[in-house]
Amino acid sequence: MFRSGFGALRCGLPLMLAVVALLFVVSKPAVAADEGPAAEWLERLGPALNMTSYRGVFVYARGDSVHSMRIAHRFHQGMIEERLVLQDGGTGEIVRKGMNVICVLPEQGRIKLDQIIPSGPFADAFSDKLVSLGRLYDSELVGEDRVAGYEAVIIALTARDVYRYSHRLWLEKSTGLLVKSTVGDPGGKVLEHFQFTSLEITDDIPDSEFEIRTEGREVARRLDDSVEQQVPGTPLTEGWKLGWHPQGFEPAAAPRSGKGQAVAFSDGVAAFSVFVEPERKVRMPVGASRIGATTVYTRELDAGGVRFMVTVVGEVPPKTARQVAESVRVSDALALNSDDS
């Protein structure tokens, strides 16, 4: 449900798919809504995701793909610490301590996260972004439920246009922690489903649960060194422009090393990323593909005699991704400075 950096997690496909799924679902940025019971719960959501300490196992279903991951998360001495371990479909883990993140794969050793577009637990660029959800989603407190042994309230966020999906959020009553969520299309079909199957909300999580246990070479990366956050009035794109995006989606962050050729946009609930790069020898297929609620749309673009690939990745409907991609315009300056090798 979050905010993405899909092609950014270079952790190998099985782990990447599961982790990116988690990153979209388990960590929402802070949001603001109209007054009412639903708004009060949504205000608690952002702080709860970062400052609540817990351990557990969750499942995440996207289309026909289902993954399970174990997670330990704590807010300790003013710093977020987290460890995620894939439970099926392969082995691997991701460990975060503050702004330092390491991705570990048995067959590749420890590798860095390069050119990150923030998402989920890494979405610090989004965490301070307060959006008036009332213009984008209708929010409503629709009931109560029990998830992984905890009492929860259910919040419905219904999209007010066709450019984004609707969401349901299950928030644990005592903390506001997100314990279950679904993403649905306008017809009510559930496209993605996240849920804790076991959960313990506790401050008693030892340091040992955040130690890397996979052997390999360690390459550390600081997220704040990799990512340039949006400053109001400062464009993040370099050499290209986005002619259209849905109302409410604003630039959130870009990788410092990416020369402005990859930018994430967020509306405070969902996000998509736009990648613009010269076409390489290995050509990517053009058109749209979708896994659950995540769309990947790629198109070719000519500028200054150079052929570019434009890719939009995120939790938006295929028609939205296509319209965003087709609105991208590349300047001749970027074409002249591009590396075709």
Side-chain angles (χ1 to χ4, degrees):
M1 189 179 282
F2 300 71
R3 322 44 105 203
S4 191
F6 226 70
L9 290 175
R10 305 181 186 277
C11 297
L13 185 59
L15 179 61
M16 182 186 75
L17 291 178
V19 170
V20 171
L22 164 73
L23 301 186
F24 274 107
V25 176
V26 176
S27 296
K28 280 191 167 297
V31 293
D34 296 335
E35 295 298 325
E40 295 174 4
W41 281 104
L42 291 172
E43 291 286 357
R44 296 180 61 185
L45 176 55
L49 287 163
N50 287 330
M51 300 180 70
T52 303
S53 296
Y54 59 90
R55 60 163 71 91
V57 175
F58 68 88
V59 293
Y60 189 80
R62 305 162 61 236
D64 295 330
S65 175
V66 180
H67 290 280
S68 174
M69 292 195 76
R70 177 161 45 89
I71 182 172
H73 175 103
R74 73 176 179 180
F75 188 73
H76 181 64
Q77 297 181 347
M79 182 175 67
I80 298 171
E81 296 179 309
E82 194 164 67
R83 181 169 179 260
L84 303 106
V85 182
L86 189 64
Q87 299 294 284
D88 51 24
T91 58
E93 61 183 280
I94 284 183
V95 174
R96 175 188 181 183
K97 293 188 177 181
M99 298 303 291
N100 296 307
V101 181
I102 298 174
C103 177
V104 188
L105 289 183
E107 65 272 18
Q108 298 180 19
R110 302 183 186 185
I111 57 177
K112 65 182 179 181
L113 305 185
D114 187 29
Q115 293 194 0
I116 292 176
I117 301 297
S119 55
F122 313 141
D124 298 284
F126 298 151
S127 62
D128 296 326
K129 184 180 190 299
L130 293 177
V131 177
S132 177
L133 290 184
R135 1 178 236 119
L136 309 175
Y137 301 88
D138 290 323
S139 58
E140 182 182 4
L141 179 61
V142 295
E144 298 185 0
D145 201 355
R146 188 171 175 84
V147 178
Y150 288 87
E151 299 295 329
V153 297
I154 307 171
I155 307 295
L157 292 176
T158 304
R160 303 188 74 175
D161 59 39
V162 298
Y163 301 118
R164 67 201 87 222
Y165 292 122
S166 297
H167 306 259
R168 286 207 170 202
L169 315 176
W170 280 252
L171 309 184
E172 195 273 325
K173 279 188 173 182
S174 64
T175 62
L177 181 69
L178 182 70
V179 293
K180 178 179 176 180
S181 67
T182 62
V183 184
D185 64 17
K189 179 182 178 181
V190 174
L191 302 174
E192 295 187 1
H193 174 214
F194 153 82
Q195 180 174 342
F196 274 102
T197 55
S198 67
L199 177 65
E200 180 185 9
I201 299 175
T202 175
D203 291 325
D204 186 21
I205 304 180
D207 294 345
S208 60
E209 294 202 28
F210 301 94
E211 295 177 357
I212 295 173
R213 301 175 187 176
T214 303
E215 295 295 329
R217 184 173 64 90
E218 179 176 341
V219 181
R221 189 74 167 187
R222 283 190 60 83
L223 297 182
D224 50 358
D225 289 339
S226 305
V227 177
E228 176 184 353
Q229 298 188 12
Q230 169 70 350
V231 177
T234 303
L236 292 179
T237 62
E238 279 186 25
W240 61 274
K241 294 182 178 180
L242 195 63
W244 178 87
H245 59 73
Q247 178 187 15
F249 281 95
E250 301 296 338
R256 297 185 190 279
S257 60
K259 298 181 180 179
Q261 295 180 18
V263 177
F265 296 80
S266 172
D267 70 352
V269 175
F272 63 84
S273 298
V274 182
F275 300 84
V276 180
E277 57 186 346
E279 185 180 69
R280 304 300 178 182
K281 293 180 181 179
V282 179
R283 298 183 62 183
M284 298 292 291
V286 298
S289 61
R290 189 176 76 178
I291 303 176
T294 300
T295 297
V296 180
Y297 185 89
T298 302
R299 65 174 288 235
E300 297 175 336
L301 176 64
D302 288 316
V306 178
R307 199 153 186 82
F308 288 84
M309 298 300 294
V310 176
T311 304
V312 176
V313 183
E315 195 179 56
V316 292
K319 290 183 179 179
T320 301
R322 176 178 180 177
Q323 195 165 337
V324 169
E326 291 183 346
S327 77
V328 171
R329 298 293 179 265
V330 174
S331 69
D332 289 343
L334 178 59
L336 290 172
N337 293 328
S338 64
D339 179 9
D340 293 325
S341 60

